[in-house]
Amino acid sequence: MFGIRKALVASALLIPSFVIADDLNIYTDDALASGWENWSWSSTLDFAATDLFEGTSSISVTSDAWAALSVKLEGTFPSFAGLRFDIAIATLALNLYPKGANPDVSIYIQSTTDNAQSPTIPLSAFDQTITADGFTSLLIDFSALPGTGGPLITRSEGLITYEFMAMQGTDSWDRITFQAGANGATYHLDNIVLVESIVITPEFLSAEPLANNVIAVTTKGAVNFSDVSVILNQKALTVESSSTYSPPDTPAKTITYLTLASSLSPGTLLITTGNSTFNWTLPSVQYASIVQSVNHAINPHIYGVNFPTSASYIEHLGVTMSRWGGNAVTAYNPFGGFTNAGNDWYFENRASDSADDWVGWVQNAGSATMLTVPALDWVSKDASSYSYPKSVYPDQASFDTYNSDAGNGLFPNGSYVTPVPDQNNVYVPWNTSAAKQWLSGMKNKPTIVTIDNEIEITSNTHQDMHPILLSPMSYDEELSRVIDFATAAKEAIPGVLVGAPSTCSWWFYWTSSVGYSDNAAHWNIDFLPWFLQQMKAYEKANGTRLLDYLDIHYYFQPDTSANDAAAKALRLRMTRSLWDTSYVDESWVGVDPQNHQWNPTVVELVPRFRTLIDINYPGTKLSIGEWSSTEDTDITGGLVTVDSLGIFGQYGMDSATYWATPDELGPIGLAYWLYRGYGTYFGSSSAQVNLANPQPDILGLYAGTENGLLSLVIVNKDPAIPVAWDLANVPFGKYFMRHFGGEAGVAKWQTNITLSANNYIVVPPYTAVFLKQL
């Protein structure tokens, strides 16, 4: 008997063939192959399923949240070229996934000998859609992983951070894991094989117009460029020169830049490469002018992230500010090396890295640091206790897959578990004296300290430490804690800068967990304006400025979770909420503003808070301690990040750190690399940009200047149409160019070009380009 089969072989960018003579089978029919062991957890498995199969059977997998099918070899597999497997959605699980979406499963490879782990590879990184009417065959090429295109490297996991080591082909790989996400997964696997070699068929992948007179051609394998022709408006263009580049961290990707003898212009562009033709309609120009003499300094701290992974990561992305923050540091005990992430993970204590050591290596790598100081009454007492044991609170909504006794502190109806647990079971007391002892004893002093993390919602995120049933966080309590711990920090580290209150979101900028009665009790003044007034009053009364940075967290409010074409377009235009005084937010904010501010349905984040600071506490800097693109793995997330970093510089932000740690080879990491990677920086001052026809929904243009030299970042957010710019005052001559996105894909593409004209500069669809005058 034969099951239904629909086989599609694919990797991220390659459609290879594979050699099977020396392949290593993991599963074919009925059971794991000899030498392989089942190391799965919290999953229901049938290794001889016959409801959907190839040959005689398949593996049926039903995994709970974060559970996995995991197999280990009695030995190692250090030298294979890739992993091939057939996968299908179980018919009964079709309703679990949005139409066209792949199961929420990620694959990674490990060494149980040295605890090394590869990057995770989500099924969403593959171009193919997995179906229920048959199997789809997928291939992971270890030299060009789906999603990033990078090689198989090891990842050594820390407790808060991740440390990356560039080690391709470790000698001790021995385990393969298919892990479900937060909602679990149900699917079938068959014909799981480690392939000995992959043969790449030469192919032209893309050819795009770029800059003034460049065609960027991506390829795989040894292609023949003698077949390439470029025709513009039925006239053949001469290729004057060419240069080829392969990014060191994605060596399987290659791009060749063809420099034309004449400039591009509006019309029909045909690029013929062997058997492929790439057709572009080049548009009429957008007009703009750059005025370098009108400029203001860009604070370099806007190019920050939370928890960079290594010194090389900081160098490669040009990270300027690194934050130690998040829910997991509210309970950080520096004297024991323990912490607790609260409701992010079942209120469980765990071991933690050393903040002191972290500040040291980050600053030695060239980044400033922002360190969060706990400001509640408790910190973790050990690495193993937890607040809601099943033995005490049996009726809870969920329990930790890895520790079945640890619950989430909620009844099945979503209400808080009662009675409130005794904090002494999990925590030890914390106060300003302990904070001073810690901070004054640090060998490595941070640049900025922030007073806790989102403590306005601590009665939710850390309900066991500060129960909402007893006392939700009020205006007055939050102010008191900021003043007390900011005073301790300033006394412990003379000259340290302090940021607060690290408010979580738009809603809590204006009110507290107590609710609007708290606003009413404070003359109906919204929270952050009131907070600034009180910090100013403290300085006036005591002669000491405690608040150097108003630190807030900003997460775009529109719902883009569908990630379809409409959601992507919304994601790309919502950056207007950072600056645009006419952009009504396309979320609940634009309908139910819930504050007493001017123009309340418009966020205009940076101008608004600049004004609030000027009114209520002049001289205070503005920091965004957490922000996000809303989709780290999609090209639109990368373009949002490019756009946002440009806006931060143009509108005078003082510090910003992305939440959390962008993948260096993913779209967000490439946005940072575009501006700052490997020591090549966007200009230190923002130059004036004048647009004849602003189109912020689809276009962004940012100019920098330094020592008389111009740098530009152009982002084209249109998914299908190139943009062409006529840029007055842009000098001719040599430029260093970086870019990512478009048909060329997500990789660190770069070259040197000569700009021979400034009246027709092309950027392909869904592409960000950096130009720096040499």
Side-chain angles (χ1 to χ4, degrees):
M1 180 177 181
F2 294 88
I4 301 172
R5 174 170 182 169
K6 181 175 72 176
L8 299 170
V9 180
S11 68
L13 293 173
L14 313 178
I15 307 295
S17 58
F18 25 79
V19 179
I20 63 172
D22 297 309
D23 293 350
L24 179 63
N25 286 329
I26 300 170
Y27 175 89
T28 302
D29 286 313
D30 301 325
L32 293 174
S34 177
W36 289 90
E37 301 171 347
N38 178 14
W39 281 35
S40 306
W41 70 91
S42 301
S43 298
T44 301
L45 306 174
D46 182 355
F47 287 92
T50 56
D51 55 324
L52 186 64
F53 59 92
E54 299 173 308
T56 61
S57 66
S58 68
I59 307 174
S60 171
V61 183
T62 299
S63 293
D64 296 336
W66 311 115
L69 167 70
S70 188
V71 294
K72 180 189 176 297
L73 181 65
E74 296 175 351
T76 62
F77 50 88
S79 57
F80 286 90
L83 174 70
R84 187 184 77 231
F85 57 93
D86 298 342
I87 185 167
I89 298 174
T91 303
L92 294 177
L94 270 177
N95 62 338
L96 299 178
Y97 311 115
K99 185 176 180 180
N102 287 340
D104 184 12
V105 175
S106 293
I107 304 144
Y108 53 87
I109 298 171
Q110 294 169 290
S111 165
T112 59
T113 302
D114 57 18
N115 294 319
Q117 180 177 310
S118 75
T120 58
I121 305 160
L123 290 179
S124 59
F126 292 88
D127 293 333
Q128 284 64 38
T129 299
I130 299 165
T131 66
D133 59 353
F135 283 89
T136 299
S137 186
L138 302 179
L139 175 68
I140 297 174
D141 183 342
F142 292 162
S143 69
L145 299 181
T148 66
L152 189 67
I153 58 174
T154 62
R155 173 183 291 178
S156 177
E157 299 215 12
L159 294 156
I160 291 180
T161 63
Y162 296 101
E163 182 73 20
F164 285 77
M165 301 171 291
M167 293 170 51
Q168 184 178 359
T170 181
D171 290 335
S172 56
W173 297 122
D174 61 359
R175 186 177 182 184
I176 301 170
T177 297
F178 293 75
Q179 186 172 19
N183 297 315
T186 299
Y187 56 98
H188 286 259
L189 288 172
D190 207 346
N191 299 324
I192 310 172
V193 181
L194 285 163
V195 295
E196 188 273 336
S197 64
I198 298 173
V199 178
I200 306 300
T201 303
E203 184 179 355
F204 289 93
L205 301 172
S206 70
E208 298 175 295
L210 188 60
N212 173 242
N213 61 343
V214 174
I215 304 297
V217 183
T218 59
T219 59
K220 65 174 184 178
V223 298
N224 181 5
F225 271 91
S226 66
D227 294 335
V228 174
S229 67
V230 181
I231 299 173
L232 178 60
N233 295 327
Q234 300 182 346
K235 179 182 177 181
L237 301 185
T238 302
V239 175
E240 193 171 62
S241 63
S242 67
S243 62
T244 297
Y245 180 73
S246 291
D249 42 17
T250 52
K253 297 185 175 183
T254 299
I255 194 165
T256 297
Y257 298 97
L258 306 178
T259 300
L260 304 175
S262 55
S263 297
L264 297 167
S265 60
T268 301
L269 178 69
L270 297 177
I271 307 161
T272 302
T273 57
N275 294 326
S276 300
T277 298
F278 301 90
N279 188 329
W280 295 96
T281 299
L282 299 184
S284 57
V285 295
Q286 301 289 322
Y287 292 95
S289 65
I290 310 298
V291 186
Q292 291 190 66
S293 60
V294 180
N295 63 77
H296 64 264
I298 296 173
N299 193 316
H301 291 164
I302 64 173
Y303 306 105
V305 304
N306 284 257
F307 294 117
T309 60
S310 66
S312 61
Y313 179 99
I314 289 172
E315 176 193 2
H316 295 173
L317 300 191
V319 174
T320 55
M321 176 64 75
S322 300
R323 176 175 178 261
W324 169 286
N327 289 338
V329 301
T330 288
Y332 174 62
N333 182 344
F335 304 118
F338 315 124
T339 195
N340 186 308
N343 70 359
D344 280 355
W345 199 260
Y346 298 94
F347 302 93
E348 296 177 44
N349 285 349
R350 64 190 190 194
S352 169
D353 297 342
S354 162
D356 197 347
D357 292 346
W358 179 87
V359 169
W361 76 256
V362 168
Q363 293 186 161
N364 287 338
S367 172
T369 52
M370 179 180 285
L371 177 69
T372 302
V373 175
L376 296 181
D377 299 329
W378 306 92
V379 292
S380 297
K381 74 174 186 179
D382 56 29
S384 58
S385 300
Y386 42 94
S387 291
Y388 296 99
K390 189 174 186 179
S391 55
V392 178
Y393 304 98
D395 187 22
Q396 296 185 62
S398 68
F399 296 89
D400 181 0
T401 300
Y402 306 102
N403 178 0
S404 59
D405 193 45
N408 71 343
L410 299 175
F411 288 123
N413 66 3
S415 63
Y416 295 106
V417 163
T418 55
V420 172
D422 182 353
Q423 286 94 342
N424 291 287
N425 293 335
V426 179
Y427 303 106
V428 293
W430 178 258
N431 51 40
T432 55
S433 296
K436 285 180 66 176
Q437 179 184 349
W438 167 44
L439 293 172
S440 61
M442 290 182 71
K443 301 186 299 294
N444 305 290
K445 308 299 186 184
T447 312
I448 301 171
V449 298
T450 55
I451 307 307
D452 218 299
N453 175 77
E454 302 179 352
I455 58 173
E456 73 283 351
I457 57 168
T458 192
S459 297
N460 173 261
T461 54
H462 297 277
Q463 67 190 52
D464 55 338
M465 297 169 64
H466 194 284
I468 195 168
L469 299 173
L470 302 181
S471 178
M473 186 69 66
S474 67
Y475 275 38
D476 294 325
E477 182 184 357
E478 185 164 359
L479 176 67
S480 175
R481 289 184 183 276
V482 169
I483 288 174
D484 290 348
F485 282 88
T487 300
K490 295 272 189 180
E491 291 175 354
I493 308 176
V496 76
L497 302 171
V498 170
S502 302
T503 308
C504 70
S505 67
W506 179 263
W507 181 275
F508 287 101
Y509 296 168
W510 317 119
T511 190
S512 74
S513 289
V514 173
Y516 290 117
S517 62
D518 215 4
N519 296 58
H522 295 85
W523 310 282
N524 278 324
I525 302 176
D526 293 332
F527 174 66
L528 285 179
W530 176 87
F531 174 79
L532 287 166
Q533 293 171 12
Q534 299 308 303
M535 296 308 294
K536 179 183 178 181
Y538 180 92
E539 180 183 4
K540 183 176 181 180
N542 296 276
T544 301
R545 174 183 271 271
L546 293 181
L547 185 72
D548 300 291
Y549 287 80
L550 178 67
D551 183 54
I552 59 177
H553 298 171
Y554 183 65
Y555 289 95
F556 296 107
Q557 293 301 296
D559 181 6
T560 61
S561 58
N563 207 37
D564 55 15
K568 291 180 180 184
L570 173 57
R571 180 180 300 126
L572 289 164
R573 66 178 178 265
M574 70 189 180
T575 56
R576 294 175 62 185
S577 71
L578 295 172
W579 63 274
D580 192 340
T581 58
S582 68
Y583 177 67
V584 176
D585 208 68
E586 298 177 76
S587 71
W588 65 269
V589 173
V591 177
D592 180 18
Q594 161 272 328
N595 61 59
H596 300 91
Q597 301 302 302
W598 70 92
N599 206 9
T601 61
V602 173
V603 174
E604 51 165 321
L605 188 79
V606 182
R608 179 182 296 279
F609 276 98
R610 283 290 180 210
T611 300
L612 287 172
I613 286 170
D614 289 344
I615 292 171
N616 296 293
Y617 196 8
T620 305
K621 295 180 183 294
L622 179 61
S623 165
I624 302 177
E626 293 182 15
W627 68 281
S628 170
S629 74
T630 76
E631 181 48 76
D632 282 14
T633 61
D634 193 88
I635 182 60
T636 58
L639 299 180
V640 163
T641 305
V642 172
D643 206 23
S644 298
L645 293 175
I647 292 165
F648 292 159
Q650 194 172 71
Y651 283 84
M653 277 296 302
D654 297 299
S655 179
T657 48
Y658 194 89
W659 183 263
T661 310
D663 183 341
E664 180 181 340
L665 302 182
I668 312 304
L670 264 61
Y672 281 83
W673 161 82
L674 193 80
Y675 280 93
R676 300 276 306 181
Y678 295 90
T680 298
Y681 304 150
F682 187 75
S684 59
S685 293
S686 177
Q688 181 174 293
V689 176
N690 302 307
L691 301 171
N693 180 31
Q695 298 184 58
D697 288 354
I698 57 172
L699 299 176
L701 174 61
Y702 306 97
T705 183
E706 186 170 358
N707 298 324
L709 297 177
L710 177 68
S711 51
L712 295 172
V713 165
I714 307 171
V715 55
N716 181 3
K717 299 186 282 185
D718 193 297
I721 301 173
V723 62
W725 289 96
D726 183 329
L727 298 177
N729 305 324
V730 169
F732 298 173
K734 295 187 177 187
Y735 285 78
F736 174 65
M737 181 173 67
R738 285 174 169 156
H739 61 104
F740 74 92
E743 292 188 0
V746 176
K748 296 175 181 175
W749 305 122
Q750 63 184 46
T751 190
N752 289 326
I753 66 168
T754 298
L755 200 63
S756 57
N758 60 15
N759 62 349
Y760 204 81
I761 297 173
V762 181
V763 175
Y766 264 11
T767 297
V769 173
F770 168 92
L771 292 166
K772 187 175 181 70
Q773 189 180 6
L774 299 177

